Amino acid sequence: MNESKAVKILKGLIRAYKVFIAVFAVIVVAAVVIGTRGLSGQENHTYVLPAGYTGWVAVIYNQKGYPELPKEGDTIVNRIPINGVLKTSSAPTSGGMTFFYADDQGQRTEVGMGMIQGQHMGTDTIPHPDGTKEEKTINAFYVGTEQQYYAHLQEQP
């Protein structure tokens, strides 16, 4: 192989490498932009529980006649009543979750994730006698230690 052919091949490889790097950079930037947009579309949720509460919590969404969930800044606030069931006209959204106990003066103490058990979200269809159907989307979780959670499950028929 003569020297000019080798130089041409080397220049071609360098050109291909530059194209590869440019395409790779575009893909990385696109992935970051898409990933950031996906994350920013999620809502943060704060659950405010009565001080010392243990037991099941259920948030029932899309309930006509009930208030929308309030916001504190960019965080949706779920103020759980003493019976553990919160009904709201708000639609469910995905996102991060933090949990707090609140005393009578509204002072909040964070509840560790080790105290949140069995969290699940689902939709139930409830048939009515008139032939209509109602869909209920429910976010449910148990507040208590793992031992309390499993003891509660064993008590259920």
Side-chain angles (χ1 to χ4, degrees):
M1 180 182 307
N2 67 30
E3 197 172 316
S4 66
K5 248 187 184 180
V7 170
K8 285 181 183 180
I9 290 172
L10 185 57
K11 285 182 180 180
L13 288 173
I14 292 171
R15 196 173 318 124
Y17 179 73
K18 287 179 180 179
V19 169
F20 171 78
I21 294 298
V23 169
F24 182 75
V26 168
I27 290 170
V28 168
V29 169
V32 168
V33 168
I34 290 168
T36 303
R37 284 190 180 174
L39 291 176
S40 67
Q42 294 186 346
E43 302 275 3
N44 290 316
H45 299 267
T46 293
Y47 293 83
V48 181
L49 307 160
Y53 182 87
T54 59
W56 281 102
V57 169
V59 180
I60 306 171
Y61 299 96
N62 298 319
Q63 299 299 293
K64 293 178 183 168
Y66 287 90
E68 288 191 7
L69 294 172
K71 280 191 158 190
E72 290 177 357
D74 63 349
T75 301
I76 297 171
V77 179
N78 296 261
R79 287 188 180 85
I80 308 302
I82 195 71
N83 70 357
V85 178
L86 173 62
K87 294 181 179 181
T88 178
S89 59
S90 295
T93 60
S94 62
M97 299 166 63
T98 54
F99 303 86
F100 294 90
Y101 283 129
D103 63 20
D104 293 337
Q105 288 76 41
Q107 293 294 318
R108 296 180 186 177
T109 305
E110 190 165 358
V111 177
M113 287 304 292
M115 291 289 288
I116 307 301
Q117 316 294 333
Q119 195 276 332
H120 60 280
M121 183 170 252
T123 301
D124 290 332
T125 302
I126 299 146
H128 293 288
D130 64 0
T132 61
K133 294 180 182 177
E134 175 185 7
E135 283 195 356
K136 285 190 177 185
T137 301
I138 301 169
N139 179 18
F141 54 89
Y142 187 85
V143 180
T145 64
E146 192 172 340
Q147 183 179 10
Q148 289 171 314
Y149 172 65
Y150 286 115
H152 176 80
L153 290 179
Q154 290 175 350
E155 294 170 5
Q156 301 303 306

